[in-house]
Amino acid sequence: MAVKIRPITLKDAANFRLCLDTVAKERRHIYDYEAPPLPKIRQRLRKRLREKIPHIVAVDGMRVVGWAGVYRPGVPSIWHCGDLSIGLLPEYRGLGLGTKLATRVLKMARGKYEFVIAAVVRKNKPARKLFKKMGFQLCGTQK
């Protein structure tokens, strides 16, 4: 397993969607229950690339096995805040890739946001542990 971490490209759209969809359908780690359709993924990627939004992928060969991004919320009045998102396929968890993805994307996000938040599903203990290790503080919970 030779996983590489690199910036996402538009060519990654279909593989990124498959990875996102797999993680979403677990209904344990992220808020989405399925990935958006491929045209919507491409549209979002084009916008993020144009705006230089920090977004990286972990790839094993041509397969996207994980991602990390610090995105702008949909409301312009809070664009000073970055929203961290990380996901990994099940067979690539527990290998330190989440830490590598988070470290790299947060470094890319420096200077783009006043602060970064990471909303975590309560049941996602590995993510809560990762973010605590990285210095994030619990500032509230959603039900």
Side-chain angles (χ1 to χ4, degrees), residues 53-54 69-73 78-85 106 109 112-119 136:
I53 300 295
V70 181
Y71 312 118
R72 281 202 158 81
I78 56 173
W79 278 357
H80 61 284
C81 166
D83 190 3
L84 176 61
S85 173
L106 288 169
K112 292 185 181 291
Y113 306 99
E114 287 181 31
F115 59 92
V116 174
I117 62 166
F136 282 82

Side-chain angles (χ1 to χ4, degrees), residues 28-31 119-129 138 140-143:
R28 294 180 42 216
H29 302 287
I30 61 176
Y31 292 108
V120 181
V121 175
R122 188 183 306 232
K123 294 183 275 187
N124 191 349
K125 290 180 183 177
R128 289 180 24 217
K129 183 179 174 184
L138 178 65
T141 59
Q142 291 180 329
K143 293 185 179 184

Side-chain angles (χ1 to χ4, degrees), residues 10-142:
L10 197 53
K11 291 179 183 178
D12 294 314
N15 282 318
F16 169 66
R17 187 193 177 281
L18 288 173
C19 182
L20 175 61
D21 197 53
T22 300
V23 174
K25 286 182 175 173
E26 290 180 280
R27 296 185 176 205
R28 294 180 42 216
H29 302 287
I30 61 176
Y31 292 108
D32 296 321
Y33 290 153
E34 64 182 352
L38 186 54
K40 187 72 168 174
I41 293 286
R42 285 191 178 115
Q43 177 187 15
R44 288 180 184 173
L45 278 179
R46 278 188 200 97
K47 184 176 190 241
R48 289 173 183 164
L49 291 167
R50 188 174 54 249
E51 294 177 1
K52 296 182 176 24
I53 300 295
H55 191 167
I56 58 177
V57 287
V59 293
D60 190 352
M62 295 296 294
R63 182 180 183 209
V64 173
V65 300
W67 78 88
V70 181
Y71 312 118
R72 281 202 158 81
V75 182
S77 63
I78 56 173
W79 278 357
H80 61 284
C81 166
D83 190 3
L84 176 61
S85 173
I86 300 175
L88 282 165
L89 293 177
E91 61 269 31
Y92 290 86
R93 295 178 190 148
L95 304 173
L97 289 172
T99 300
K100 289 177 184 175
L101 285 164
T103 300
R104 183 130 167 224
V105 81
L106 288 169
K107 186 176 182 181
M108 292 169 69
R110 279 194 195 118
K112 292 185 181 291
Y113 306 99
E114 287 181 31
F115 59 92
V116 174
I117 62 166
V120 181
V121 175
R122 188 183 306 232
K123 294 183 275 187
N124 191 349
K125 290 180 183 177
R128 289 180 24 217
K129 183 179 174 184
L130 168 67
F131 294 137
K132 184 176 181 180
K133 177 175 80 172
M134 299 195 75
F136 282 82
Q137 297 177 351
L138 178 65
C139 61
T141 59
Q142 291 180 329

